[in-house]
Amino acid sequence: MNLLHLDSSILGDHSVSRQISAAAVAALRAESPGLNVVYRDLGATPAPHQSGALLAARGLDPEARTPDQTREVADADAILNEFLAADIVVIGVPMYNFGIPSQLKSWIDHIAVAGKTFRYSEAGVEGLAGDKRVILASSRGGFYGPDSPAAGLQHQESYLRGFFAFIGVQDVEVVSAEGVNISPDQKQASLDAAVAEAGGLGRLLRAA
Ligand SMILES: Cc1cc2nc3c(=O)[nH]c(=O)nc-3n(C[C@H](O)[C@H](O)[C@H](O)COP(=O)(O)O)c2cc1C
């Protein structure tokens, strides 16, 4: 069983979402000791943006590519292949300006690939990644629950749920720490609750 662990916070050791994603991965490892974990720190090393240069390099015969083009295509392929190989994907994701970090968006731009993770058919769009379990370890400075005044600005979790549904993933769980910038006490309470919840995710794996 393969687990892909991503973090996308730019705050390193001060990150809330990194602590939640780490707790989820630790719980899954404890429950499944043979788990093969691949880690990618998008905050430290962002996925390259899609670009015309990359598309042009893809269009060339491999032998005709320069060494730089060969490396760029291989790096992009590695991102997609890591995702395709994963049974479980754990994503540490802060809210930045009501959405996801651009570092995570550029990763998504490499895995949304027609013919690999979705396809168009006469019946419409068909997701091809339905065999995966996705866990979102999320943190937000404010509150965005359905009854909050800012609910309409919640484009972080809703975007990711929509994206993963598009590529066929039905099994999306979200563990969130909200209101972490409201006060130190609120931050600690939200973090503790989210880490405890993430620590229970391994048991769900056994039940599945
Ligand atoms: C660049 C940036 C943008 C942010 N934008 C928002 C926002 O739109 N709404 C919000 O509630 N919090 C916002 N925050 C606060 C973060 O969501 C919050 O600090 C969260 O814990 C960050 O995750 P991390 O601790 O894993 O880095 C922002 C923080 C940063 C650094």
Side-chain angles (χ1 to χ4, degrees), residues 8-12 14-19 92-99 137-144 153 156 177 179-181 187:
S8 56
S9 165
I10 58 173
L11 293 186
H14 300 287
S15 159
V16 171
S17 61
R18 285 173 186 265
Q19 294 181 67
V93 53
M95 173 183 275
Y96 286 169
N97 297 309
F98 312 115
S138 141
S139 56
R140 301 189 268 273
F143 289 99
Y144 297 84
L153 293 171
Q156 172 215 28
V180 304
N181 288 354
K187 178 178 182 175

mmCIF file of all heavy atoms in Angstrom, residues 8-12 14-19 92-99 137-144 153 156 177 179-181 187, ligand 1:
data_model
loop_
_atom_site.group_PDB
_atom_site.id
_atom_site.type_symbol
_atom_site.label_atom_id
_atom_site.label_comp_id
_atom_site.label_asym_id
_atom_site.label_seq_id
_atom_site.Cartn_x
_atom_site.Cartn_y
_atom_site.Cartn_z
ATOM 1 N N SER A 8 1.925 21.823 2.051
ATOM 2 C CA SER A 8 2.000 22.999 1.171
ATOM 3 C C SER A 8 2.113 24.310 1.936
ATOM 4 O O SER A 8 2.131 25.373 1.335
ATOM 5 C CB SER A 8 0.791 23.041 0.233
ATOM 6 O OG SER A 8 -0.436 23.012 0.955
ATOM 7 N N SER A 9 2.198 24.244 3.269
ATOM 8 C CA SER A 9 2.381 25.462 4.058
ATOM 9 C C SER A 9 3.769 26.031 3.836
ATOM 10 O O SER A 9 4.749 25.290 3.723
ATOM 11 C CB SER A 9 2.210 25.157 5.548
ATOM 12 O OG SER A 9 2.710 26.239 6.317
ATOM 13 N N ILE A 10 3.854 27.376 3.844
ATOM 14 C CA ILE A 10 5.162 28.033 3.731
ATOM 15 C C ILE A 10 5.784 28.286 5.103
ATOM 16 O O ILE A 10 6.870 28.853 5.186
ATOM 17 C CB ILE A 10 5.033 29.379 2.973
ATOM 18 C CG1 ILE A 10 4.046 30.321 3.693
ATOM 19 C CG2 ILE A 10 4.631 29.141 1.526
ATOM 20 C CD1 ILE A 10 3.988 31.733 3.104
ATOM 21 N N LEU A 11 5.112 27.859 6.178
ATOM 22 C CA LEU A 11 5.556 28.232 7.527
ATOM 23 C C LEU A 11 6.431 27.189 8.219
ATOM 24 O O LEU A 11 6.718 27.329 9.415
ATOM 25 C CB LEU A 11 4.345 28.563 8.412
ATOM 26 C CG LEU A 11 3.575 29.827 8.004
ATOM 27 C CD1 LEU A 11 2.492 30.140 9.024
ATOM 28 C CD2 LEU A 11 4.510 31.028 7.857
ATOM 29 N N GLY A 12 6.862 26.184 7.513
ATOM 30 C CA GLY A 12 7.804 25.220 8.080
ATOM 31 C C GLY A 12 7.342 24.671 9.421
ATOM 32 O O GLY A 12 6.192 24.239 9.566
ATOM 33 N N HIS A 14 6.451 26.043 12.030
ATOM 34 C CA HIS A 14 5.379 26.796 12.705
ATOM 35 C C HIS A 14 4.005 26.471 12.127
ATOM 36 O O HIS A 14 2.990 27.019 12.564
ATOM 37 C CB HIS A 14 5.636 28.302 12.575
ATOM 38 C CG HIS A 14 6.940 28.724 13.178
ATOM 39 N ND1 HIS A 14 7.148 28.788 14.541
ATOM 40 C CD2 HIS A 14 8.119 29.050 12.609
ATOM 41 C CE1 HIS A 14 8.383 29.161 14.777
ATOM 42 N NE2 HIS A 14 9.002 29.310 13.629
ATOM 43 N N SER A 15 3.978 25.610 11.150
ATOM 44 C CA SER A 15 2.721 25.325 10.445
ATOM 45 C C SER A 15 1.771 24.452 11.264
ATOM 46 O O SER A 15 2.176 23.461 11.871
ATOM 47 C CB SER A 15 3.067 24.606 9.139
ATOM 48 O OG SER A 15 1.965 23.891 8.651
ATOM 49 N N VAL A 16 0.508 24.812 11.228
ATOM 50 C CA VAL A 16 -0.556 24.007 11.837
ATOM 51 C C VAL A 16 -0.892 22.812 10.947
ATOM 52 O O VAL A 16 -0.970 21.662 11.404
ATOM 53 C CB VAL A 16 -1.805 24.885 12.081
ATOM 54 C CG1 VAL A 16 -2.990 24.032 12.501
ATOM 55 C CG2 VAL A 16 -1.502 25.958 13.122
ATOM 56 N N SER A 17 -1.087 23.067 9.667
ATOM 57 C CA SER A 17 -1.511 21.981 8.767
ATOM 58 C C SER A 17 -0.460 20.872 8.689
ATOM 59 O O SER A 17 -0.800 19.690 8.531
ATOM 60 C CB SER A 17 -1.828 22.522 7.368
ATOM 61 O OG SER A 17 -0.680 23.118 6.787
ATOM 62 N N ARG A 18 0.814 21.247 8.831
ATOM 63 C CA ARG A 18 1.866 20.212 8.804
ATOM 64 C C ARG A 18 1.753 19.286 10.019
ATOM 65 O O ARG A 18 2.019 18.086 9.921
ATOM 66 C CB ARG A 18 3.259 20.863 8.780
ATOM 67 C CG ARG A 18 3.630 21.441 7.436
ATOM 68 C CD ARG A 18 4.927 22.228 7.511
ATOM 69 N NE ARG A 18 5.188 22.895 6.250
ATOM 70 C CZ ARG A 18 5.954 22.397 5.275
ATOM 71 N NH1 ARG A 18 6.570 21.257 5.455
ATOM 72 N NH2 ARG A 18 6.109 23.047 4.139
ATOM 73 N N GLN A 19 1.377 19.849 11.156
ATOM 74 C CA GLN A 19 1.229 19.003 12.353
ATOM 75 C C GLN A 19 0.046 18.051 12.193
ATOM 76 O O GLN A 19 0.092 16.896 12.630
ATOM 77 C CB GLN A 19 1.042 19.886 13.592
ATOM 78 C CG GLN A 19 2.274 20.714 13.926
ATOM 79 C CD GLN A 19 2.075 21.564 15.161
ATOM 80 O OE1 GLN A 19 1.950 21.039 16.260
ATOM 81 N NE2 GLN A 19 2.033 22.877 14.982
ATOM 82 N N GLY A 92 -1.470 18.327 3.492
ATOM 83 C CA GLY A 92 -1.495 19.454 4.422
ATOM 84 C C GLY A 92 -1.763 20.722 3.630
ATOM 85 O O GLY A 92 -0.987 21.063 2.730
ATOM 86 N N VAL A 93 -2.872 21.401 3.979
ATOM 87 C CA VAL A 93 -3.283 22.539 3.154
ATOM 88 C C VAL A 93 -3.800 23.702 4.004
ATOM 89 O O VAL A 93 -4.872 23.602 4.591
ATOM 90 C CB VAL A 93 -4.326 22.106 2.079
ATOM 91 C CG1 VAL A 93 -5.509 21.362 2.676
ATOM 92 C CG2 VAL A 93 -4.812 23.307 1.270
ATOM 93 N N PRO A 94 -3.048 24.780 4.054
ATOM 94 C CA PRO A 94 -3.567 25.995 4.698
ATOM 95 C C PRO A 94 -4.540 26.716 3.765
ATOM 96 O O PRO A 94 -4.526 26.486 2.553
ATOM 97 C CB PRO A 94 -2.325 26.873 4.881
ATOM 98 C CG PRO A 94 -1.172 26.144 4.316
ATOM 99 C CD PRO A 94 -1.682 24.973 3.549
ATOM 100 N N MET A 95 -5.350 27.601 4.362
ATOM 101 C CA MET A 95 -6.104 28.545 3.526
ATOM 102 C C MET A 95 -5.240 29.781 3.306
ATOM 103 O O MET A 95 -4.761 30.379 4.258
ATOM 104 C CB MET A 95 -7.426 28.959 4.186
ATOM 105 C CG MET A 95 -8.143 30.066 3.413
ATOM 106 S SD MET A 95 -9.667 30.653 4.202
ATOM 107 C CE MET A 95 -10.858 29.469 3.606
ATOM 108 N N TYR A 96 -5.019 30.115 2.055
ATOM 109 C CA TYR A 96 -4.348 31.374 1.708
ATOM 110 C C TYR A 96 -5.303 32.195 0.857
ATOM 111 O O TYR A 96 -5.728 31.751 -0.234
ATOM 112 C CB TYR A 96 -3.065 31.117 0.894
ATOM 113 C CG TYR A 96 -1.893 30.564 1.691
ATOM 114 C CD1 TYR A 96 -0.773 30.086 1.025
ATOM 115 C CD2 TYR A 96 -1.878 30.544 3.085
ATOM 116 C CE1 TYR A 96 0.321 29.595 1.716
ATOM 117 C CE2 TYR A 96 -0.786 30.037 3.788
ATOM 118 C CZ TYR A 96 0.296 29.570 3.105
ATOM 119 O OH TYR A 96 1.387 29.065 3.803
ATOM 120 N N ASN A 97 -5.649 33.356 1.348
ATOM 121 C CA ASN A 97 -6.523 34.261 0.592
ATOM 122 C C ASN A 97 -7.754 33.526 0.052
ATOM 123 O O ASN A 97 -8.068 33.592 -1.129
ATOM 124 C CB ASN A 97 -5.724 34.979 -0.500
ATOM 125 C CG ASN A 97 -4.645 35.843 0.133
ATOM 126 O OD1 ASN A 97 -4.940 36.635 1.030
ATOM 127 N ND2 ASN A 97 -3.397 35.640 -0.253
ATOM 128 N N PHE A 98 -8.383 32.811 0.963
ATOM 129 C CA PHE A 98 -9.661 32.120 0.764
ATOM 130 C C PHE A 98 -9.569 30.881 -0.123
ATOM 131 O O PHE A 98 -10.568 30.202 -0.348
ATOM 132 C CB PHE A 98 -10.745 33.085 0.225
ATOM 133 C CG PHE A 98 -10.794 34.365 1.008
ATOM 134 C CD1 PHE A 98 -10.477 35.573 0.414
ATOM 135 C CD2 PHE A 98 -11.118 34.347 2.355
ATOM 136 C CE1 PHE A 98 -10.475 36.749 1.153
ATOM 137 C CE2 PHE A 98 -11.121 35.514 3.110
ATOM 138 C CZ PHE A 98 -10.803 36.722 2.512
ATOM 139 N N GLY A 99 -8.397 30.593 -0.619
ATOM 140 C CA GLY A 99 -8.228 29.410 -1.453
ATOM 141 C C GLY A 99 -7.070 28.565 -0.961
ATOM 142 O O GLY A 99 -6.697 28.615 0.219
ATOM 143 N N ALA A 137 -5.666 17.739 5.457
ATOM 144 C CA ALA A 137 -5.299 18.251 6.780
ATOM 145 C C ALA A 137 -5.222 19.767 6.642
ATOM 146 O O ALA A 137 -4.253 20.311 6.127
ATOM 147 C CB ALA A 137 -3.954 17.667 7.212
ATOM 148 N N SER A 138 -6.268 20.431 7.090
ATOM 149 C CA SER A 138 -6.466 21.823 6.717
ATOM 150 C C SER A 138 -6.356 22.764 7.914
ATOM 151 O O SER A 138 -6.689 22.391 9.042
ATOM 152 C CB SER A 138 -7.863 21.907 6.064
ATOM 153 O OG SER A 138 -8.531 23.063 6.430
ATOM 154 N N SER A 139 -5.891 23.981 7.633
ATOM 155 C CA SER A 139 -5.885 24.994 8.694
ATOM 156 C C SER A 139 -6.310 26.332 8.099
ATOM 157 O O SER A 139 -6.034 26.628 6.931
ATOM 158 C CB SER A 139 -4.500 25.105 9.333
ATOM 159 O OG SER A 139 -3.528 25.385 8.359
ATOM 160 N N ARG A 140 -6.999 27.111 8.958
ATOM 161 C CA ARG A 140 -7.506 28.419 8.501
ATOM 162 C C ARG A 140 -7.403 29.409 9.659
ATOM 163 O O ARG A 140 -7.656 29.042 10.813
ATOM 164 C CB ARG A 140 -8.979 28.317 8.081
ATOM 165 C CG ARG A 140 -9.218 27.325 6.971
ATOM 166 C CD ARG A 140 -10.635 27.416 6.436
ATOM 167 N NE ARG A 140 -11.575 26.529 7.082
ATOM 168 C CZ ARG A 140 -11.810 25.267 6.720
ATOM 169 N NH1 ARG A 140 -11.163 24.765 5.689
ATOM 170 N NH2 ARG A 140 -12.681 24.534 7.372
ATOM 171 N N GLY A 141 -7.096 30.635 9.311
ATOM 172 C CA GLY A 141 -6.973 31.656 10.344
ATOM 173 C C GLY A 141 -8.301 32.026 10.965
ATOM 174 O O GLY A 141 -8.391 32.318 12.155
ATOM 175 N N GLY A 142 -9.359 32.034 10.170
ATOM 176 C CA GLY A 142 -10.686 32.424 10.638
ATOM 177 C C GLY A 142 -11.653 31.256 10.644
ATOM 178 O O GLY A 142 -11.240 30.087 10.580
ATOM 179 N N PHE A 143 -12.931 31.594 10.726
ATOM 180 C CA PHE A 143 -14.001 30.583 10.745
ATOM 181 C C PHE A 143 -14.838 30.703 9.468
ATOM 182 O O PHE A 143 -15.231 31.804 9.080
ATOM 183 C CB PHE A 143 -14.898 30.776 11.970
ATOM 184 C CG PHE A 143 -14.227 30.410 13.264
ATOM 185 C CD1 PHE A 143 -13.675 31.394 14.081
ATOM 186 C CD2 PHE A 143 -14.121 29.079 13.662
ATOM 187 C CE1 PHE A 143 -13.045 31.064 15.270
ATOM 188 C CE2 PHE A 143 -13.489 28.741 14.858
ATOM 189 C CZ PHE A 143 -12.956 29.732 15.663
ATOM 190 N N TYR A 144 -15.121 29.566 8.866
ATOM 191 C CA TYR A 144 -15.825 29.555 7.579
ATOM 192 C C TYR A 144 -16.954 28.529 7.553
ATOM 193 O O TYR A 144 -17.338 28.042 6.493
ATOM 194 C CB TYR A 144 -14.835 29.277 6.436
ATOM 195 C CG TYR A 144 -13.796 30.353 6.298
ATOM 196 C CD1 TYR A 144 -12.652 30.328 7.094
ATOM 197 C CD2 TYR A 144 -13.984 31.419 5.437
ATOM 198 C CE1 TYR A 144 -11.707 31.344 7.015
ATOM 199 C CE2 TYR A 144 -13.049 32.433 5.345
ATOM 200 C CZ TYR A 144 -11.910 32.392 6.135
ATOM 201 O OH TYR A 144 -10.985 33.404 6.055
ATOM 202 N N LEU A 153 -16.753 32.618 1.393
ATOM 203 C CA LEU A 153 -15.359 32.792 0.969
ATOM 204 C C LEU A 153 -14.549 31.503 1.144
ATOM 205 O O LEU A 153 -13.337 31.504 0.967
ATOM 206 C CB LEU A 153 -14.705 33.914 1.787
ATOM 207 C CG LEU A 153 -15.265 35.312 1.522
ATOM 208 C CD1 LEU A 153 -14.705 36.312 2.533
ATOM 209 C CD2 LEU A 153 -14.931 35.760 0.108
ATOM 210 N N GLN A 156 -11.255 26.966 -0.223
ATOM 211 C CA GLN A 156 -10.107 26.080 0.006
ATOM 212 C C GLN A 156 -10.592 24.637 -0.014
ATOM 213 O O GLN A 156 -10.333 23.871 -0.944
ATOM 214 C CB GLN A 156 -9.470 26.440 1.359
ATOM 215 C CG GLN A 156 -8.396 25.500 1.836
ATOM 216 C CD GLN A 156 -8.418 25.357 3.359
ATOM 217 O OE1 GLN A 156 -9.461 25.511 3.998
ATOM 218 N NE2 GLN A 156 -7.272 25.063 3.942
ATOM 219 N N ALA A 177 -8.394 22.600 11.335
ATOM 220 C CA ALA A 177 -8.218 23.492 12.494
ATOM 221 C C ALA A 177 -8.642 24.882 12.019
ATOM 222 O O ALA A 177 -7.991 25.457 11.147
ATOM 223 C CB ALA A 177 -6.775 23.497 12.951
ATOM 224 N N GLY A 179 -9.931 28.983 12.846
ATOM 225 C CA GLY A 179 -9.793 30.079 13.810
ATOM 226 C C GLY A 179 -8.430 30.159 14.466
ATOM 227 O O GLY A 179 -8.308 30.707 15.559
ATOM 228 N N VAL A 180 -7.386 29.667 13.785
ATOM 229 C CA VAL A 180 -6.075 29.604 14.455
ATOM 230 C C VAL A 180 -5.429 30.972 14.628
ATOM 231 O O VAL A 180 -4.470 31.114 15.398
ATOM 232 C CB VAL A 180 -5.107 28.628 13.741
ATOM 233 C CG1 VAL A 180 -5.710 27.251 13.628
ATOM 234 C CG2 VAL A 180 -4.697 29.163 12.387
ATOM 235 N N ASN A 181 -5.933 31.982 13.929
ATOM 236 C CA ASN A 181 -5.379 33.334 14.112
ATOM 237 C C ASN A 181 -6.265 34.207 15.001
ATOM 238 O O ASN A 181 -5.986 35.395 15.175
ATOM 239 C CB ASN A 181 -5.179 34.019 12.748
ATOM 240 C CG ASN A 181 -4.019 33.414 11.981
ATOM 241 O OD1 ASN A 181 -3.297 32.569 12.514
ATOM 242 N ND2 ASN A 181 -3.842 33.818 10.742
ATOM 243 N N LYS A 187 -6.146 28.869 18.846
ATOM 244 C CA LYS A 187 -5.211 28.111 17.990
ATOM 245 C C LYS A 187 -4.876 26.771 18.630
ATOM 246 O O LYS A 187 -4.937 25.718 17.964
ATOM 247 C CB LYS A 187 -3.937 28.928 17.763
ATOM 248 C CG LYS A 187 -2.901 28.194 16.931
ATOM 249 C CD LYS A 187 -1.682 29.060 16.692
ATOM 250 C CE LYS A 187 -0.664 28.336 15.823
ATOM 251 N NZ LYS A 187 0.471 29.193 15.482
HETATM 252 C C1 LIG B 1 -0.320 34.196 2.711
HETATM 253 C C2 LIG B 1 -1.380 33.883 3.730
HETATM 254 C C3 LIG B 1 -2.707 34.073 3.418
HETATM 255 C C4 LIG B 1 -3.698 33.772 4.339
HETATM 256 N N1 LIG B 1 -5.010 33.934 3.997
HETATM 257 C C5 LIG B 1 -5.980 33.590 4.885
HETATM 258 C C6 LIG B 1 -7.354 33.691 4.534
HETATM 259 O O1 LIG B 1 -7.722 34.083 3.450
HETATM 260 N N2 LIG B 1 -8.270 33.327 5.459
HETATM 261 C C7 LIG B 1 -7.925 32.838 6.685
HETATM 262 O O2 LIG B 1 -8.818 32.492 7.469
HETATM 263 N N3 LIG B 1 -6.627 32.712 7.035
HETATM 264 C C8 LIG B 1 -5.666 33.080 6.163
HETATM 265 N N4 LIG B 1 -4.354 32.943 6.503
HETATM 266 C C9 LIG B 1 -4.024 32.323 7.791
HETATM 267 C C10 LIG B 1 -3.732 30.856 7.600
HETATM 268 O O3 LIG B 1 -4.789 30.158 6.964
HETATM 269 C C11 LIG B 1 -3.477 30.192 8.942
HETATM 270 O O4 LIG B 1 -2.411 30.870 9.592
HETATM 271 C C12 LIG B 1 -3.133 28.724 8.779
HETATM 272 O O5 LIG B 1 -2.837 28.166 10.021
HETATM 273 C C13 LIG B 1 -1.941 28.559 7.879
HETATM 274 O O6 LIG B 1 -1.619 27.194 7.798
HETATM 275 P P1 LIG B 1 -0.215 26.690 8.342
HETATM 276 O O7 LIG B 1 -0.201 27.036 9.804
HETATM 277 O O8 LIG B 1 -0.207 25.240 8.067
HETATM 278 O O9 LIG B 1 0.836 27.435 7.589
HETATM 279 C C14 LIG B 1 -3.350 33.274 5.606
HETATM 280 C C15 LIG B 1 -1.988 33.076 5.925
HETATM 281 C C16 LIG B 1 -1.018 33.388 4.992
HETATM 282 C C17 LIG B 1 0.432 33.149 5.346
#
